[in-house]
Amino acid sequence: MTYSKWFGTAFDHPDIDDVIKCTIRKALSADNTIEREDKLVRAQALVADIHNKNRLTFFVENKIENYFGRDIKVIFADKLVDATVNSLKNTPFKKRL
């Protein structure tokens, strides 16, 4: 599958933390959806950790949890988006939001 190949090699080029790269590669090579979901949501949490460590906004909780009680793991990444948009409201970027 072309997309999978591109997705896997795309992370070789940017300056991305090696742990995140490894986690995404494990997701791509996972043998089942449970393992793939686990690795992808872990990668999301790692990116959220970087967001918080760099203090791009106020601290955003990034706990891995089930999506509204369903058996789907998420970190509710929309909280990161909301925090970022709110932090840009009084900046020159506000016109682009």
Side-chain angles (χ1 to χ4, degrees):
M1 177 191 289
T2 304
Y3 179 76
S4 293
K5 181 179 178 184
W6 172 86
F7 189 74
T9 59
F11 292 97
D12 287 336
H13 304 291
D15 186 21
I16 296 174
D17 182 272
D18 287 337
V19 175
I20 295 172
K21 283 183 187 180
C22 182
T23 304
I24 291 171
R25 289 193 193 292
K26 287 179 181 177
L28 291 171
S29 65
D31 293 328
N32 58 66
T33 56
I34 293 171
E35 183 182 355
R36 183 170 296 116
E37 175 190 48
D38 181 62
K39 300 303 180 200
L40 286 174
V41 77
R42 181 69 191 129
Q44 292 173 347
L46 291 167
V47 171
D49 286 342
I50 292 170
H51 174 98
N52 285 328
K53 285 177 188 170
N54 287 311
R55 298 179 184 194
L56 298 175
T57 65
F58 58 85
F59 180 84
V60 178
E61 182 66 46
N62 63 344
K63 180 175 77 170
I64 296 172
E65 53 191 304
N66 288 339
Y67 183 73
F68 296 104
R70 298 182 181 123
D71 192 22
I72 302 168
K73 294 180 186 176
V74 296
I75 64 165
F76 289 102
D78 56 310
K79 294 184 284 188
L80 293 165
V81 174
D82 292 343
T84 302
V85 168
N86 286 333
S87 72
L88 296 173
K89 281 187 177 175
N90 294 318
T91 72
F93 296 106
K94 69 182 175 184
K95 294 178 185 175
R96 299 183 185 256
L97 299 175

